[in-house]
């Protein structure tokens, strides 16, 4: 397996290069080549397999020329001690794919933990320290912090927008200590992302530190996210109908991962790109014009992204062809009031408590099925556990929400962060100060 830049398909790099230097010099994004085709018999035998089993099988198809089967088996099982079950709301018609059974209670555990396992595999072989930089709009930070906490040879710096993440999300990134440092930025997620991007092209900084990204810019976050689409397909295939996935989206890593396994042969009839008011992709699908915007703060804050970095990948996977894109992806978006009403309706209708992001996914799915009037099996991705947004969910549903122990225990821990203005120089100085 090699990786090419979307800006220059002729130039390819190794797994290790794409893993540790996630941004190509030409400012494109890495994509895997050649994408293996998994074959129909693969999809026929997966019904009873866990996420780790499926992850291992696909990892072999992708990386067996680089990494031994025994090592791949080891690292996939290390990454996925939890599963991603499908829960039926209306059997055969509407289901949710629960991606929040990992340590940080959000789907980003899947990508972050697989990437951490791969990085620790390589850094153990090479004996070098890596500095991970990551910007988070909410859930990435927790998943990355927990995925990399105490991983030898890796230091993690997390940038998050001050006051724009929930209390528990903040605790997940600011209370671990050790090799994990949080930077609290007086600005938006887009500011955090811009600072990280600038760090990667800063030659002076790169001369001092070996920098790597754990954002969904890194293709190794996305590849394992494909595994759970396959896992879900294994669970809903029994209904014998075409399958549509609805993905609540912000930076569009999750949806790109789905499009990637579709290209590897997963029979996906259609995708729904469901967003909040940061709806540049649904607008693109409607108009054919792609116009990134400044991000708007919403109650589904992990999707507050005005300029999604993975749009380029998604467009690329559909041959940069608008009609082809549109045949495969529909867009729906919801404002905060609609999201609240939707959360309440989902609870009343199915007794299911959805976080605001998940609710947007379910709303998009239902709207799509209604608009097309088709008999498909719909799977909405449940991207976070509702207790991560406890005050909001309880306020909307008038119902108390159970907090799993691994999250509850964070509440009493104290936050440690370095507060910085939304300026690159301030970050750089502070990073060099903490790391060197
Ligand atoms: C990150 C996140 C999203 C958005 O995923 P992208 O891959 O950035 O599109 C949606 N929901 C939750 C809960 C998230 O943490």
């Amino acid at each position: 397996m090699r990786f090419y830049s979307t800006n220059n398909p002729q130039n390819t790099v190794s797994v290790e290069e794409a893993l540790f230097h996630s941004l190509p010099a030409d400012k494109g994004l890495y994509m895997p080549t050649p994408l293996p085709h998994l074959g129909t018999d693969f999809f026929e035998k997966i019904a009873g397999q866990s996420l780790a089993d499926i992850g291992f099988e696909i990892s072999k198809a992708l990386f067996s020329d680089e990494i031994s089967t025994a090592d791949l088996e080891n690292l996939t099982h290390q990454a996925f001690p939890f599963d991603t079950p499908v829960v039926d709301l209306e059997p055969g018609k509407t289901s949710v794919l629960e991606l929040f059974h990992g340590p940080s209670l959000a789907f980003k555990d899947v990508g972050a933990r697989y990437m951490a396992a791969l990085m620790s595999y390589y850094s153990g072989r090479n004996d070098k320290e890596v500095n991970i930089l990551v910007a988070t709009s909410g859930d990435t930070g927790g998943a990355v912090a927990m995925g990399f906490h105490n991983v030898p040879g890796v230091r993690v710096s997390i940038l998050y927008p001050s006051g724009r993440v929930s209390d528990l999300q903040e605790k997940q990134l600011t209370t671990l200590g050790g090799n994990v440092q949080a930077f609290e930025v007086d600005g938006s997620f887009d500011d955090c992302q811009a600072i990280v991007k600038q760090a990667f092209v800063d030659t002076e900084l790169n001369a001092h530190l070996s920098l790597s990204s754990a954002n969904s810019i890194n293709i190794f976050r996305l590849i394992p996210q494909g595994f759970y689409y396959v896992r879900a397909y294994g669970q809903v295939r029994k209904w014998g109908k075409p399958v549509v996935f609805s993905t609540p989206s912000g930076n569009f890593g999750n949806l790109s991962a789905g499009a990637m396994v579709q290209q590897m042969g997963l029979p996906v009839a259609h995708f729904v790109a469901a967003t909040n008011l940061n709806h540049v992709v649904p607008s693109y699908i409607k108009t054919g014009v792609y116009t990134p915007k400044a991000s708007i703060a919403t109650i589904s804050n992990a999707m507050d992204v005005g300029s999604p970095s993975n749009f380029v990948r998604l467009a690329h996977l559909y041959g940069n062809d608008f009609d082809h894109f549109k045949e495969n992806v529909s867009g729906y978006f919801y404002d905060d009031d609609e999201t609240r009403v939707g959360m309440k309706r989902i609870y009343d209708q199915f007794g299911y408590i959805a976080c605001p992001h998940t609710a947007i996914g379910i709303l998009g799915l239902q709207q799509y099925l209604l608009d097309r009037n088709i008999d498909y099996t719909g799977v909405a991705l449940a991207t976070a556990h509702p207790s991560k947004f406890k005050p909001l969910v309880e306020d909307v549903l008038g119902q108390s929400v159970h907090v799993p122990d691994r999250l509850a225990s964070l509440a009493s821990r104290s936050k440690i962060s370095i507060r910085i203005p939304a300026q690159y120089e301030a970050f750089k100085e502070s990073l060099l100060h903490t790391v060197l």
Side-chain angles (χ1 to χ4, degrees), residues 42-249:
F42 174 86
F43 297 106
E44 272 159 26
K45 62 175 195 216
I46 56 173
Q49 294 187 2
S50 69
L51 180 67
D53 295 335
I54 289 171
F56 171 50
E57 290 301 325
I58 301 178
S59 298
K60 268 196 297 191
L62 294 167
F63 305 125
S64 59
D65 54 345
E66 291 263 343
I67 304 175
S68 76
T69 303
D71 284 328
L72 284 174
E73 181 158 30
N74 223 340
L75 71 87
T76 5
H77 284 87
Q78 184 187 325
F80 308 130
F82 55 90
D83 205 1
T84 52
V86 166
V87 172
D88 291 333
L89 301 182
E90 291 171 282
K93 194 168 178 341
T94 315
S95 301
V96 286
L97 168 59
E98 291 190 341
L99 303 174
F100 51 68
H101 295 281
S104 81
L105 294 100
F107 80 89
K108 294 191 176 77
D109 284 325
V110 173
R113 293 181 63 84
Y114 187 85
M115 195 176 80
L118 260 188
M119 281 188 170
S120 92
Y121 165 81
Y122 281 108
S123 75
R125 289 162 61 98
N126 303 342
D127 198 25
K128 64 175 184 200
E129 177 164 278
V130 185
N131 280 276
I132 306 281
L133 298 188
V134 62
T136 182
S137 58
D139 284 336
T140 302
V144 168
M146 292 176 173
F148 283 94
H149 189 224
N150 293 335
V151 171
V154 183
R155 275 177 164 281
V156 184
S157 300
I158 299 171
L159 290 82
Y160 72 98
S162 182
R164 297 217 195 167
V165 304
S166 77
D167 286 352
L168 281 172
Q169 282 177 330
E170 187 173 37
K171 293 271 166 142
Q172 288 185 325
L173 11 141
T174 58
T175 60
L176 288 170
N179 63 335
V180 178
Q181 174 67 60
F183 291 88
E184 181 175 358
V185 178
D186 283 318
S188 66
F189 168 68
D190 293 325
D191 293 326
C192 298
Q193 189 155 260
I195 291 174
V196 169
K197 281 190 176 158
Q198 200 170 340
F200 285 113
V201 296
D202 180 333
T203 38
E204 194 204 2
L205 191 66
N206 283 273
H208 287 292
L209 305 175
S210 167
L211 296 182
S212 273
S213 166
N215 275 110
S216 53
I217 294 166
N218 195 311
I219 188 69
F220 291 91
R221 278 266 310 274
L222 266 59
I223 287 172
Q225 288 178 202
F227 304 164
Y228 52 67
Y229 286 89
V230 177
R231 170 80 181 106
Y233 180 79
Q235 289 165 278
V236 301
R237 192 174 165 272
K238 62 176 184 231
W239 304 112
K241 295 194 267 183
V243 178
V244 50
F245 285 100
S246 175
T247 308
S249 295

Side-chain angles (χ1 to χ4, degrees), residues 106-108 139 225 248-254 302-303 355 357 383-384:
F107 80 89
K108 294 191 176 77
D139 284 336
Q225 288 178 202
S249 295
N251 229 345
F252 280 83
N254 209 357
M303 312 200 298
C355 88
H357 313 79
T383 49

Side-chain angles (χ1 to χ4, degrees), residues 5-16:
S5 163
T6 48
N7 282 348
N8 181 4
Q10 308 315 320
N11 199 0
T12 68
V13 302
S14 67
V15 172
E16 193 174 354

Side-chain angles (χ1 to χ4, degrees), residues 287-307:
T287 62
V289 184
Y290 181 68
T291 319
K293 301 229 159 82
S295 66
I296 301 166
T298 75
I299 58 170
S300 45
N301 65 38
M303 312 200 298
D304 293 350
V305 183
S307 177

